[in-house]
């Protein structure tokens, strides 16, 4: 919707009045100057049997509390609205206007504005607890503002009920906490000016920003709660590193294993405190993950010196913004691997090992013969050469009732 100057182009009081009289008496319009949404609302009002000349609005029984969204209602009334609309309240007082808040149900849950206007509208049955849908108050801005972030206005004779013709109604629909909330303003039509609209639109923008900020804060709080539970309840020691190699934080298990306090390591250079993690920090440059790499911490407690390390780079816009380093003691990892291997015997054979060179064929043949023995077998070789691939098919063979176990050294 444009400003007040644009409105006057689309609105002519005398022409609208003549169209209204013709519609009520003859069920037709004199010309096409009437806004189509107004004509559609008049049609609905007439079909509902609303008496256009009523001196008082008849509404259903008043209820002081809205049964929909009470927590949201309280939050809006007590926290958000008073903090951001002081300028609008001042403008309402100056322009003799009234502001109502309602949910999609149409029930008013809060009212503000000029005291004389409030008393007058309340005497007509328009106030807290009243339902202001089309079937009760006829054509108004609330009827037209149906979609989120949509603004609407109805002036003078555009109101189907004569009782509202001295006024302009303005409505703005917003989405707050997954419910539509309507800001419904009634002001004398002669005061519906550019200046007044600027205050109203400033209020809408402020409200929207406040709600979005609250939503973001709430979402961040919930994410942090989930994160804390996941990080603190895991069986892995976790260390969080920024893109400069500085320690951001660590979970309780990491601090317990290394007998540290968080304040001792926070924002310190990780490579200086833990030189054993130098290779992990290389992921800041490469952006590559590291999975189950063996790390020896010489200064750690005796039972925590031998670790298996996972490194997960955190990326934003394809750039590494930090690392998550996860540590497990080697014995736990070995037990887990052995248990997993023993529970999936049907899936491991020497034929599954890739490689068709003559040397690989010879190795597979030797491994197959060795697997027929019930003797203890030692596999040696450098890290990454595939010792566990050859061990898995062997430990799956069962002699009697006893399955072979894999011990990593």
């Amino acid at each position: 919707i444009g400003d007040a100057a644009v409105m006057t182009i689309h609105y002519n009081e005398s022409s609208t009045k003549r169209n209204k009289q013709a519609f009520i008496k003859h069920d037709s319009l004199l010309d096409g100057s009437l806004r189509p949404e107004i004509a559609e609302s008049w049609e609905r009002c007439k079909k509902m049997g609303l008496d256009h000349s009523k001196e008082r609005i008849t509404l259903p029984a008043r209820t002081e509390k809205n049964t929909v969204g009470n927590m949201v209602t309280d939050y809006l009334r007590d926290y958000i609205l008073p903090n951001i609309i002081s300028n609008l309240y001042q403008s309402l007082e100056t322009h003799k206007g009234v502001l109502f808040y309602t949910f999609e149900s149409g029930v008013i849950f809060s009212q503000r504005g000029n005291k004389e206007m409030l008393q007058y509208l309340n005497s007509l049955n328009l106030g807290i607890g009243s339902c202001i849908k089309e079937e009760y108050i006829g054509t108004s801005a609330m009827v037209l503002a149906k979609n989120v972030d949509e603004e609407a206005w109805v002036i003078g004779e555009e109101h189907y009920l004569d009782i509202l013709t001295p006024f302009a109604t303005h409505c703005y629909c917003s989405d707050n906490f997954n419910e539509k909330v309507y800001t419904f303003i009634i002001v004398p039509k002669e005061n519906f000016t550019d200046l007044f609209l600027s205050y109203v639109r400033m209020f809408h923008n402020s409200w929207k920003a406040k709600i979005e900020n609250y939503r973001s804060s709430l979402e961040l709080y919930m994410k942090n709660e989930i994160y804390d539970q996941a990080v603190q309840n895991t069986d892995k020691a976790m260390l969080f590193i920024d893109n400069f190699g500085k320690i951001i934080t660590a979970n309780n298990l990491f601090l317990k294993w290394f007998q540290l306090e968080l304040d001792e390591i926070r924002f310190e250079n990780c490579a200086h405190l833990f030189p054993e993690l130098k290779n992990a920090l290389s992921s800041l440059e490469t952006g590559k993950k590291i999975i189950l790499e063996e790390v020896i911490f010489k200064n750690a407690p005796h039972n925590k010196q031998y670790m298996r390390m996972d490194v997960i780079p955190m990326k934003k816009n394809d750039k590494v913004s930090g690392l998550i380093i996860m540590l497990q003691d080697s014995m736990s990892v070995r037990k887990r691997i052995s248990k997993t291997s023993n529970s999936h015997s049907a899936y491991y054979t020497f034929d599954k090992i890739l490689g068709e060179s003559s040397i690989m064929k010879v190795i597979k043949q030797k491994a197959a013969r060795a697997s027929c023995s019930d003797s203890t077998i030692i596999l040696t070789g450098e890290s990454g050469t595939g010792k566990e691939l050859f061990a898995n098919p062997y430990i799956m063979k069962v002699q009697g009732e006893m399955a072979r176990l894999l011990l990593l050294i």
Side-chain angles (χ1 to χ4, degrees):
I1 303 298
D3 58 19
V6 176
M7 290 179 191
T8 57
I9 296 175
H10 298 284
Y11 177 71
N12 182 291
E13 181 81 0
S14 58
S15 173
T16 304
K17 186 173 184 178
R18 289 195 299 271
N19 270 308
K20 185 176 177 180
Q21 290 173 345
F23 178 81
I24 291 168
K25 291 180 180 179
H26 308 296
D27 205 19
S28 62
L29 299 174
L30 295 177
D31 55 53
S33 62
L34 193 67
R35 290 157 57 192
E37 65 270 28
I38 298 295
E40 291 170 5
S41 179
W42 286 0
E43 188 72 38
R44 291 192 297 269
C45 290
K46 191 165 188 176
K47 286 181 179 179
M48 288 185 287
L50 286 184
D51 182 359
H52 77 96
S53 61
K54 280 184 180 178
E55 294 183 356
R56 182 180 175 85
I57 297 173
T58 303
L59 294 167
R62 292 165 61 90
T63 55
E64 291 303 317
K65 281 193 175 182
N66 178 23
T67 56
V68 181
N70 284 330
M71 290 181 63
V72 176
T73 300
D74 294 341
Y75 180 78
L76 289 173
R77 182 193 294 121
D78 300 335
Y79 178 69
I80 288 185
L81 302 179
N83 289 340
I84 63 176
I85 60 174
S86 57
N87 287 338
L88 180 62
Y89 286 167
Q90 184 178 354
S91 181
L92 286 171
E93 185 66 36
T94 303
H95 290 78
K96 297 182 179 179
V98 168
L99 181 149
F100 295 122
Y101 298 107
T102 171
F103 287 108
E104 199 166 9
S105 63
V107 177
I108 297 171
F109 66 82
S110 185
Q111 63 182 20
R112 295 287 192 278
N114 182 276
K115 292 182 179 179
E116 293 180 5
M117 269 286 286
L118 274 175
Q119 288 178 346
Y120 173 69
L121 293 174
N122 290 168
S123 70
L124 300 178
N125 267 353
L126 282 173
I128 294 177
S130 300
C131 183
I132 56 174
K133 283 196 167 183
E134 189 176 42
E135 55 264 39
Y136 302 115
I137 68 167
T139 305
S140 70
M142 184 181 170
V143 177
L144 307 183
K146 296 179 180 179
N147 301 315
V148 174
D149 293 331
E150 188 172 69
E151 178 187 28
W153 50 270
V154 177
I155 303 176
E157 293 293 339
E158 290 182 329
H159 292 285
Y160 185 78
L161 297 184
D162 287 349
I163 199 168
L164 289 177
T165 55
F167 308 107
T169 58
H170 178 275
C171 188
Y172 182 80
C173 176
S174 56
D175 179 20
N176 302 292
F177 312 101
N178 297 320
E179 289 189 80
K180 289 181 180 178
V181 174
Y182 295 84
T183 307
F184 183 68
I185 294 174
I186 300 179
V187 65
K189 59 186 176 184
E190 61 269 18
N191 293 338
F192 195 48
T193 63
D194 286 345
L195 179 61
F196 178 75
L197 277 177
S198 68
Y199 274 116
V200 170
R201 287 168 180 155
M202 180 181 67
F203 159 69
H204 294 327
N205 291 333
S206 300
W207 186 353
K208 187 176 180 180
K210 189 81 173 181
I211 293 293
E212 288 177 351
N213 181 62
Y214 175 77
R215 279 177 167 168
S216 298
S217 300
L218 186 62
E219 182 181 357
L220 181 60
Y221 169 76
M222 295 174 68
K223 285 181 177 178
N224 285 338
E225 285 293 305
I226 295 171
Y227 154 79
D228 286 339
Q229 292 184 29
V231 168
Q232 300 302 347
N233 293 330
T234 183
D235 60 351
K236 298 178 182 179
M238 301 182 70
L239 194 62
F240 297 82
I241 310 296
D242 67 14
N243 58 326
F244 299 106
K246 304 280 187 176
I247 297 173
I248 301 173
T249 189
N251 70 349
N252 292 335
L253 189 57
F254 184 94
L255 299 174
K256 179 181 177 182
W257 280 3
F258 291 91
Q259 300 176 359
L260 294 167
E261 296 292 333
L262 185 57
D263 291 340
E264 296 179 60
I265 63 173
R266 180 177 279 170
F267 308 126
E268 296 293 333
N269 189 298
C270 181
H272 291 166
L273 291 181
F274 305 102
E276 299 88 348
L277 297 177
K278 183 178 180 180
N279 193 45
L281 297 176
S282 67
S283 293
L284 288 172
E285 300 293 333
T286 65
K288 294 181 179 180
K289 293 182 181 180
I290 298 175
I291 305 297
L292 289 179
E293 180 177 291
E294 190 169 58
V295 182
I296 302 175
F297 291 89
K298 296 180 180 178
N299 297 323
H302 179 69
N303 63 334
K304 301 301 178 188
Q305 288 184 343
Y306 296 91
M307 300 279 189
R308 290 284 179 163
M309 175 180 70
D310 294 338
V311 181
I312 310 298
M314 305 303 294
K315 295 183 179 181
K316 186 175 183 180
N317 298 328
D318 294 327
K319 292 184 178 180
V320 178
S321 58
L323 302 175
I324 300 177
I325 300 175
M326 295 178 284
L327 300 171
Q328 307 171 71
D329 68 274
S330 293
M331 186 58 69
S332 298
V333 175
R334 290 169 185 169
K335 289 180 179 178
R336 191 177 296 116
I337 291 175
S338 295
K339 184 177 180 180
T340 303
S341 299
N342 285 330
S343 62
H344 294 86
S345 58
Y347 300 101
Y348 292 90
T349 67
F350 293 111
D351 292 334
K352 297 286 186 180
I353 301 174
L354 299 178
E356 297 297 329
S357 67
S358 57
I359 295 177
M360 184 60 76
K361 289 180 179 179
V362 170
I363 294 174
K364 288 182 183 180
Q365 290 171 359
K366 288 183 178 180
R369 289 198 299 270
S371 68
C372 295
S373 169
D374 56 0
S375 301
T376 299
I377 295 175
I378 299 176
L379 298 176
T380 61
E382 294 182 8
S383 178
T385 55
K387 296 186 294 297
E388 290 182 32
L389 286 176
F390 279 90
N392 280 326
Y394 173 73
I395 64 174
M396 297 316 154
K397 283 181 172 283
V398 178
Q399 300 289 336
E401 299 298 323
M402 180 72 72
R404 276 83 173 268
L405 294 177
L406 171 65
L407 179 61
L408 300 173
I409 301 175

